[in-house]
Amino acid sequence: MRAALFIASLACLSPALPTPSIAQETQNQFMDRCTMALARTVGLQSYAEGACAEQWPKITRANQMVDAILSLFVAGTPSALDPADVQARASMIRWRSPTEGRLADLNVEVTRSPTVRTIFNWSASGEPVPFDPVEALRVRGAQVDPIGCSAYGAGETNSVWRVEAPGHVPFALSVYRREAPTASALSHITVSADAERNIPTLGDLRAAEPDRDWMEACPQ
């Protein structure tokens, strides 16, 4: 769990613009980077190697979600996207209605509350959360920096990140995750991106939800 929390901290519609290619880390490159960083924290090389090896499938499984998110922020894309724009640009999602869709085993929703947000949800009983979109973005060469984190206890956090990916405009990514503490409990992850490019500060998060203990980064 400690390793998972650590890694985790690491008018007319214009046609969608092609996504520029992004230099992507190989599995070996990720393992080197992850193991070095984690070993400095836990002090055990073998433990770090095992934890990072377990993390790689979560990164690859998040790739489709990351593709959909990045499609909304290609450089040159208009900033005033509405739900119809999101559907047109994120064409890899199987849209079932103007506001709901499916991407592999993720439920997808587009809301306007009050800004346009694209939201990806997954949940299951007793299973570990199988996605790590933050590290999946870093593997693709994106700079992903924490804006704020609210922790609810061991294994449950709500974090907000500033993302700057090559060939894309900066955007904010929110990740709520809850790891099931028991086999009968529910694991859950909700990942959302503000399609209108609003990027909050830590002060904004604290002002919007003063009852939550917003910190600069999630505990490791």
Side-chain angles (χ1 to χ4, degrees), residues 39-83:
R40 285 198 300 265
T41 300
V42 300
L44 293 172
Q45 181 77 11
S46 59
Y47 176 82
E49 289 175 354
C52 292
E54 290 179 2
Q55 196 68 14
W56 182 254
K58 299 180 182 182
I59 291 170
T60 58
R61 195 167 176 181
N63 277 333
Q64 287 183 299
M65 183 197 317
V66 168
D67 285 338
I69 291 170
L70 289 177
S71 71
L72 308 178
F73 302 102
V74 177
T77 299
S79 60
L81 297 184
D82 62 22

Side-chain angles (χ1 to χ4, degrees), residues 91-135:
S91 57
M92 65 286 293
I93 296 171
R94 188 172 74 251
W95 296 103
R96 300 177 297 200
S97 75
T99 59
E100 295 181 351
R102 185 82 176 172
L103 181 64
D105 49 359
L106 292 159
N107 288 315
V108 188
E109 184 181 7
V110 181
T111 66
R112 196 192 294 270
S113 57
T115 63
V116 176
R117 302 190 68 86
T118 306
I119 304 169
F120 301 82
N121 282 297
W122 173 92
S123 62
S125 295
E127 297 182 23
V129 173
F131 303 98
D132 191 336
V134 170
E135 279 302 314

Side-chain angles (χ1 to χ4, degrees), residues 155-173:
E156 186 174 8
T157 58
N158 189 26
S159 56
V160 183
W161 307 79
R162 178 186 174 91
V163 181
E164 293 189 36
H168 296 73
V169 296
F171 63 93
L173 189 76

